[in-house]
């Protein structure tokens, strides 16, 4: 009985508040928009039975998504932004993780804490901090004008550049931590052996360090790529009207256009796109867990 | 390696400068006299004064705190149960679905979680407000808690619990007196994680809140959409300060606990 309750309570909670909502999204994505409350059709009616209800559902919204080029452009541009930002975060994060793993032992807990601290600080505030830096009369332009590097203020805020800066800034800890933990476990004598066998420092780095830290690199890349794909806050605060990201499109479709069926269809397609990286990420984590055994 | 190469020193310095300078600028300019945030006009704490006069912000802060306390507590209870199920319950019908439902919310885009929960609440006719935000936050935070707690449970030595049972404890007593104290650090960090996630969440709260319940992130978001403001800088500084004190004291406490544990183990080994 106890075991039953232990399983049943969290199970029921997740069924009702995770799986059922999901089924509703799927259902509404197949419905039509209607000027009513709630604004979609058909409503489920017990009297008419399930078949009458199912007959009313169709793939119209999905067809609409392929016809209006706003949507597929937004998906493509989200993929492009997420991919580029992941590479940028890797390039910025790897040297930091590497240096942390090479730092004196007694510094490492402090360095770890310094990486984790921003993660606990409000995401919204960390994105907001860049608005003051990147705006036309912002701190960055002030410094650049004052030092005479530029004579006209640069427009950075409300462009894709600002979005990239914001993503790298907020997701950097997610990249650093898995790479650091892979590098921390790395046996230093392997690098010495490579150098003894005639590798230069750079060769030893490319041939030994990078391949051995690969699980950390892969985990870090997925931890950045997956959430960035559906990101809303960064494109809406730092991006401009030209920044197309699907999280923002979904938000506007729902809150501004009030088209629930299309918003649901956008969500379903986003999820289908995410299935691939999520499955790959899971496989990587499993392989790593088995390797550690 | 005891000495750091210049390359490593440079990357650490640049990396941490990048991580911290934006927040430092925010903090410094929250004490700026001028309404124009980018022009320094002398030291002043007036924006803090104005912040504490602003009822809308104070109300939102109160709502946020209520939601965070309730949802993180519920999430900790449910998440710990889920972790016990994942690690200990063995096989049962629908186990794969269960673990799928625990891991899926961790990678689900917030816009989708928010949208789907909103559609559920409307579907069953639940009025949106504090209640619905609590339900939403509990659901995604319990998954984080269960991941944290189950990673501790995996390394837990079950013979300790068996010993307690042999010595006459009921299963409930054994759980309360043996298991819970040992997994307590993980449960506490799970609660803290759930609490911060709830404090921080904008997207899911925007979908699931009604006009009656505005949380602080929703309030901040609608304010900063219009641009940088000194009041928001002051608010951000307070929030950064609280988190910094919290994280540093938590890490000091866990360090002390680790030292004490090591000492006890050494004492036990010497016997």
């Amino acid at each position: 009985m106890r075991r039953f309750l232990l399983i049943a309570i969290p199970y029921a909670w997740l069924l009702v508040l995770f799986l059922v909502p999901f089924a509703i999204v799927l259902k509404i994505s197949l419905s039509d928009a209607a000027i009513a409350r709630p604004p979609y059709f058909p409503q489920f009616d017990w009297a008419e039975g399930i078949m009458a209800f199912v007959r009313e559902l169709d793939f119209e919204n999905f067809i609409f998504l392929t016809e209006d080029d706003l949507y597929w452009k937004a998906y493509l541009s989200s993929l492009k932004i997420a991919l580029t930002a992941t590479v940028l975060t890797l390039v910025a994060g790897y040297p930091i993780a590497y240096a942390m793993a090479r730092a004196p032992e007694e510094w490492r807990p402090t360095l770890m804490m310094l990486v984790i601290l921003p993660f606990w600080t409000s995401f919204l505030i960390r994105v907001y901090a860049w608005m003051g830096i990147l705006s036309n009369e912002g701190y960055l332009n002030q410094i650049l004008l004052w030092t005479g590097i530029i004579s006209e203020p640069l427009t950075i805020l409300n462009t894709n550049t600002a979005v990239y800066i914001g993503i790298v800034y907020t997701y950097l800890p997610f990249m650093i931590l898995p790479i650091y933990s892979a590098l921390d476990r790395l046996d230093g004598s392997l690098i010495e052996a490579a150098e003894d066998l005639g590798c230069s420092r750079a060769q030893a780095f490319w041939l030994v360090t990078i391949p051995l830290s690969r699980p950390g690199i892969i985990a870090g890349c997925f931890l950045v790529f997956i959430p960035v794909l559906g990101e809303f806050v960064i494109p809406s605060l730092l991006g401009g009207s030209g920044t197309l990201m699907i999280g923002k499109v979904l938000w506007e479709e729902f809150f501004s256009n009030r088209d629930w069926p299309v918003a649901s269809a956008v969500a379903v397609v986003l999820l289908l796109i995410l299935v691939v990286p999520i499955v790959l990420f899971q496989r990587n984590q499993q392989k790593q867990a088995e390797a550690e055994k | 390696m005891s000495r750091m190469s210049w390359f490593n020193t440079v990357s650490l310095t640049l990396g941490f400068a990048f991580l911290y300078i934006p927040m430092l600028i925010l903090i410094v300019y929250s004490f700026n006299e001028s309404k124009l945030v980018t022009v320094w006009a002398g030291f002043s704490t007036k924006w803090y004064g104005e912040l504490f006069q602003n009822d809308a912000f104070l109300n939102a802060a109160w709502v946020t705190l209520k939601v965070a306390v309730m949802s993180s507590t519920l999430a900790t209870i449910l998440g710990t149960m889920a972790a016990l199920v994942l690690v200990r319950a063995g096989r049962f019908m629908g186990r794969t679905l269960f673990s799928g439902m625990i891991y899926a919310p961790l990678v689900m885009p917030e816009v989708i979680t928010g949208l789907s929960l909103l559609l559920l609440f409307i579907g069953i006719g639940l009025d949106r407000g504090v209640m619905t935000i609590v339900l939403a936050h509990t659901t995604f935070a319990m998954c984080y808690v269960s991941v944290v707690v189950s990673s501790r449970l995996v390394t837990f030595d079950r013979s300790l619990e068996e010993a307690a049972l042999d010595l006459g404890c009921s299963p409930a007593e054994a759980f309360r007196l043996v298991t819970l104290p040992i997994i307590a650090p993980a449960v506490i960090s799970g609660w803290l994680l759930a609490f911060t996630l709830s404090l921080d969440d904008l997207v899911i709260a925007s979908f699931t809140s009604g006009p009656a319940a505005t949380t602080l992130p929703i309030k901040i978001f609608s304010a900063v959409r219009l641009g940088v403001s000194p009041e928001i800088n002051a608010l951000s500084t307070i929030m950064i300060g609280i988190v910094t004190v919290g994280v540093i004291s938590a890490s000091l406490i866990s360090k002390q606990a680790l030292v004490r544990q090591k000492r006890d183990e050494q004492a036990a080994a010497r016997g």
Side-chain angles (χ1 to χ4, degrees):
Chain A
M1 185 60 205
R2 267 167 76 123
R3 179 168 178 272
F4 174 77
L5 276 182
L6 181 68
I7 297 174
I9 295 172
Y11 211 127
W13 184 285
L14 287 171
L15 277 181
V16 173
L17 285 146
F18 180 73
L19 206 63
V20 170
F22 217 67
I24 298 177
V25 170
L26 197 61
K27 191 215 100 179
I28 293 181
S29 75
L30 299 170
S31 309
D32 297 326
I35 302 168
R37 282 181 76 94
Y40 53 86
F41 177 83
Q43 305 289 324
F44 188 69
D45 188 349
W46 287 107
E48 288 179 34
I50 192 139
M51 279 324 286
F53 172 72
V54 170
R55 263 199 301 277
E56 291 291 341
L57 300 176
D58 53 49
F59 288 95
E60 213 169 275
N61 298 309
F62 293 94
I63 295 165
F64 175 66
L65 290 193
T66 61
E67 281 167 352
D68 192 329
D69 55 0
L70 165 74
Y71 299 99
W72 61 262
K73 273 188 185 152
Y75 284 115
L76 280 183
S77 137
S78 300
L79 280 170
K80 197 191 106 206
I81 290 176
L83 212 60
T84 317
T86 306
V87 173
L88 291 174
T89 316
L90 176 63
V91 171
Y94 199 95
I96 302 173
Y98 184 80
M100 280 172 68
R102 285 299 159 92
E105 193 100 29
E106 65 272 18
W107 289 14
R108 289 188 205 167
T110 314
L111 293 175
M112 270 285 269
M113 205 183 70
L114 284 173
V115 172
I116 295 171
L117 190 64
F119 165 79
W120 290 90
T121 319
S122 167
F123 188 83
L124 193 56
I125 288 175
R126 281 184 292 147
V127 176
Y128 164 71
W130 283 95
M131 292 176 69
I133 297 175
L134 298 177
S135 69
N136 275 355
E137 45 306 328
Y139 311 117
L140 183 64
N141 271 320
Q142 283 181 23
I143 292 174
L144 291 177
L145 286 171
W146 182 71
T147 52
I149 296 173
I150 52 168
S151 52
E152 293 273 306
L154 296 172
T155 310
I156 307 174
L157 190 65
N158 302 329
T159 66
N160 281 0
T161 313
V163 174
Y164 286 127
I165 295 173
I167 295 173
V168 173
Y169 181 67
T170 43
Y171 286 93
L172 200 55
F174 292 97
M175 186 62 88
I176 294 176
L177 291 175
I179 296 178
Y180 168 74
S181 79
L183 287 172
D184 193 35
R185 278 196 302 259
L186 197 137
D187 187 352
S189 59
L190 292 173
I191 296 161
E192 279 167 34
E195 284 177 13
D196 287 348
L197 292 170
C199 275
S200 69
R201 274 231 156 141
Q203 276 176 321
F205 177 76
W206 283 110
L207 296 173
V208 180
T209 312
I210 294 267
L212 285 175
S213 58
R214 222 184 63 186
I217 296 175
I218 296 175
C221 286
F222 280 123
L223 284 176
V224 175
F225 181 80
I226 294 170
V228 167
L229 203 59
E231 184 55 55
F232 165 74
V233 176
I234 297 174
S236 67
L237 288 183
L238 300 179
S241 50
T243 311
L244 264 182
M245 283 193 81
I246 204 67
K248 209 174 126 198
V249 170
L250 194 160
W251 178 286
E252 276 156 12
E253 205 59 64
F254 189 85
F255 284 108
S256 314
N257 295 352
R258 305 211 136 263
D259 192 335
W260 296 14
V262 168
S264 301
V266 169
V268 171
V269 174
L270 173 58
L271 213 67
L272 287 177
I273 295 174
L274 274 172
V275 164
V276 179
I278 288 172
V279 168
L280 288 175
F281 175 61
Q282 288 282 7
R283 291 232 318 252
N284 178 58
Q285 296 300 91
Q286 258 165 14
K287 251 200 297 195
Q288 222 181 323
E290 274 161 25
E292 274 165 32
K293 265 177 198 166
Chain B
M1 199 180 272
S2 58
R3 257 189 62 240
M4 301 244 305
S5 71
W6 66 268
F7 181 78
N8 287 345
T9 316
V10 169
S11 36
L12 273 190
T13 316
L14 283 181
F16 285 111
F18 177 63
L19 280 176
Y20 284 92
I21 284 177
M23 286 197 263
L24 287 178
I25 293 177
L26 205 66
I27 294 170
V28 169
Y29 275 83
S30 74
F31 295 104
N32 186 4
E33 170 79 37
S34 166
K35 174 91 189 160
L36 291 166
V37 253
T38 49
V39 184
W40 182 259
F43 181 87
S44 150
T45 54
K46 75 172 181 195
W47 302 112
Y48 289 88
E50 296 215 354
L51 191 66
F52 285 103
Q53 305 276 304
N54 189 330
D55 280 337
F57 273 120
L58 291 180
N59 278 337
W62 177 233
V63 170
T64 311
L65 211 60
K66 265 196 301 200
V67 168
V69 169
M70 283 192 279
S71 66
S72 57
T73 308
L74 258 172
T76 305
I77 296 168
L78 287 164
T80 307
M81 288 173 83
L84 286 167
V85 172
L86 281 178
V87 178
R88 295 190 167 179
R91 291 172 161 278
F92 59 91
M93 267 247 301
R95 192 194 151 90
T96 319
L97 177 65
F98 185 76
S99 59
M101 287 195 299
I102 290 287
Y103 290 110
L106 303 179
V107 289
M108 188 70 71
E110 288 169 322
V111 277
I112 298 185
T113 311
L115 176 70
S116 65
L117 282 163
L118 169 63
L119 295 177
L120 170 81
F121 295 144
I122 290 173
I124 58 177
L126 204 59
D127 273 340
R128 278 174 288 152
V130 172
M131 229 339 246
T132 46
I133 311 176
V134 170
L135 288 176
H137 282 181
T138 305
T139 308
F140 83 96
M142 72 178 270
C143 302
Y144 285 88
V145 174
S146 82
V147 169
V148 172
V149 175
S150 60
S151 71
R152 179 73 189 90
L153 270 176
V154 170
T155 59
F156 176 80
D157 183 1
R158 283 201 85 168
S159 60
L160 291 171
E161 220 176 55
E162 281 157 20
L165 292 173
D166 287 346
L167 293 169
C169 277
S170 71
E173 279 172 332
F175 180 78
R176 194 165 50 84
L177 297 171
V178 178
T179 317
L180 204 54
I182 292 177
I183 62 168
V187 175
I188 293 169
S189 41
W191 187 88
L192 283 172
L193 184 61
F195 187 78
T196 343
L197 287 169
S198 170
L199 279 189
D200 203 18
D201 167 63
L202 164 75
V203 176
I204 296 173
S206 301
F207 275 101
T208 53
S209 77
T214 306
T215 66
L216 207 49
I218 298 177
K219 194 84 202 141
I220 295 175
F221 183 70
S222 61
V224 303
R225 273 196 134 164
L226 306 172
V228 182
S229 94
E231 261 184 314
I232 300 287
N233 285 356
L235 181 62
S236 306
T237 303
I238 295 173
M239 288 168 74
I240 293 172
I242 293 171
V243 168
T244 310
V245 171
V247 169
I248 291 176
S249 47
S251 81
L252 287 180
I253 290 168
S254 71
K255 205 168 162 188
Q256 258 177 3
L258 210 68
V259 170
R260 201 176 319 127
Q261 199 188 334
K262 274 215 179 110
R263 209 171 45 214
D264 288 352
E265 275 166 16
Q266 277 165 2
R270 272 198 304 270

